Amino acid sequence: MLPFVAYGGLTALQSFVGFFAGFLSATVIGVVLAPIAIVVAGRLMGAEGGTGRAVVGALLGLLAGLLIGLPLATVPGAGYLVGLGLFWALPSVGTLLAFEWGRAEPPPTGAVVFRF
């Protein structure tokens, strides 16, 4: 959600520069900072290993976002927002999937709220 807020806030300037400032800031948040935050949060919550898999997952998610999201972002109307949303969200989804996928077994204690 944070990439959309940054995009909306900076493009509210109603200018050419505001549009690109919003797009670039949302891209940095969605493509770079969000996957890093997922890895850091996972480590803080006790996840053992998986950082290498998470980085590969983030790169694969970025590739999927580029191949699926950016062509959709050229479509006028709602397709534009869906494309940008996919472009910004897929690196985080790839990170989450890769971070969890290679684990041998879930941790023996605690409750799992959401797991792929």
Side-chain angles (χ1 to χ4, degrees), residues 15-57:
S15 70
F16 188 73
V17 174
F19 169 78
F20 283 103
F23 181 79
L24 290 177
S25 64
T27 300
V28 168
I29 291 169
V31 174
V32 178
L33 297 180
I36 291 171
I38 291 170
V39 172
V40 170
R43 301 290 286 177
L44 290 175
M45 294 172 69
E48 298 287 331
T51 304
R53 286 190 317 271
V55 170
V56 171

